[in-house]
Amino acid sequence: LKHLHKSLIEKKMLCQIVYVSADRDETVFRNDFFDCPWVAIPHSDERRGILANYFHVTHIPRIIVLESDMRVITKEGVSCLGIDPEGKDFPWRERPLMELTERFEDAINHKQCVICFTDGSGGQMHSANLLLNDTATAYFDGQIDLTKFGIGWNFQFFY
């Protein structure tokens, strides 16, 4: 995370990291936060629990990337950071159709997904992209409304 933070500063990207500890012990919190270049919510502050409930934090570590108005960009920040430690694709916004990688492990286990499985070859990946792209884009842009069919889920599309 420190490397990403430094990279974003070098790119002059405006962002603020706020450390919210899930540590049970103040000493562990202080050791973890000791040399971090960002702000933290104090260990004794009740907002830690409020934020954990608000963002449905069920496991740690967790990196949640937010817009300035507190809308969630992604809750998959830990996976994103592991795949993109330089932050080349930061802030890791969802796109209508995404290649299925380990970054989305949490999403496919906890969300409704449409997945076109391939053998990973260039030809099959290209075909899957062509097959799903128009539908995924229309759904992502709100042109497809499934609520009229009694389906209120939010889907993510992968190939």
Side-chain angles (χ1 to χ4, degrees), residues 1 25 34 76 96 112 147 153:
L1 191 56
D25 181 287
F34 174 70
E76 318 304 330
Q112 290 71 33
T147 58
W153 303 324

Side-chain angles (χ1 to χ4, degrees), residues 121-137:
S121 68
Q124 282 198 9
M125 298 289 279
H126 180 73
S127 295
N129 190 322
L130 290 175
L131 176 69
L132 288 177
N133 191 53
D134 288 346
T135 302
T137 300

